[in-house]
Amino acid sequence: QVQLVESGGGLVQPGGSLRLSCAASGSIFNINVMAWYRQAPGKERELVAIMPRIGGAQYADPVKGRFTISRDNIKNTYLQMNSLRPEDTAIYYCYCNVQIYDSSLDYWGQGTQVTVSS
C-alpha cells in the first residue's frame, strides 16, 4: 500500500502563494499517476492537477496558468499555487494511482486546508 501525507496548507491573502507538498511512502514504485484534488465545503471533490507517468501535466481550467504540479523525486510531489483566489479555498488532497499488471488502486492523503481570505 501507499501512504500519502500532505503539508503546506494554511491561510493566505488573495493574490498570495502557497506550495503544497505530498510525501509518498510504502509501495511507491508502481505509482502510475500523481494528482492533486480539492474539495470545498458543500461541493464535490474535483481534480486540480494531474501528472501521469507518461505524458505532460494537466490542469483544471480554474487553475490553469496559476498552479503547477511537479515532482523532484519518486516520493515528493508538489503543487505550487500562485495568484490565489478566495474560490481556491478548499481541502487539498494528494492522490496517486498504483497499477500492477491489471490491478489499479487509488490512494488519498488526509488533506490539507487552504484558505484564501483577507
Side-chain angles (χ1 to χ4, degrees):
Q1 63 180 22
V2 174
Q3 297 81 45
L4 303 173
V5 179
E6 304 97 332
S7 62
L11 175 64
V12 64
Q13 294 183 347
S17 298
L18 284 174
R19 189 186 188 191
L20 305 183
S21 298
C22 175
S25 61
S27 302
I28 62 177
F29 292 105
N30 293 109
I31 292 176
N32 184 54
V33 60
M34 296 295 302
W36 288 93
Y37 285 74
R38 67 185 182 186
Q39 187 167 22
K43 297 184 178 180
E44 295 183 352
R45 189 171 298 185
E46 65 177 355
L47 176 69
V48 175
I50 186 167
M51 179 175 287
R53 184 167 179 261
I54 300 175
Q58 299 180 25
Y59 301 89
D61 286 340
V63 308
K64 286 181 179 178
R66 300 188 297 119
F67 291 10
T68 302
I69 186 172
S70 63
R71 302 181 72 186
D72 60 8
N73 54 53
I74 194 172
K75 293 183 177 181
N76 299 316
T77 304
Y78 306 94
L79 184 68
Q80 179 66 46
M81 306 185 294
N82 299 325
S83 301
L84 284 163
R85 306 165 180 170
E87 53 264 40
D88 295 319
T89 296
I91 300 175
Y92 284 72
Y93 296 91
C94 184
Y95 160 90
C96 76
N97 173 261
V98 177
Q99 186 170 345
I100 305 175
Y101 299 106
D102 293 329
S103 178
S104 182
L105 300 173
D106 298 329
Y107 295 92
W108 297 89
Q110 83 288 346
T112 184
Q113 177 70 47
V114 173
T115 302
V116 184
S117 176
S118 298

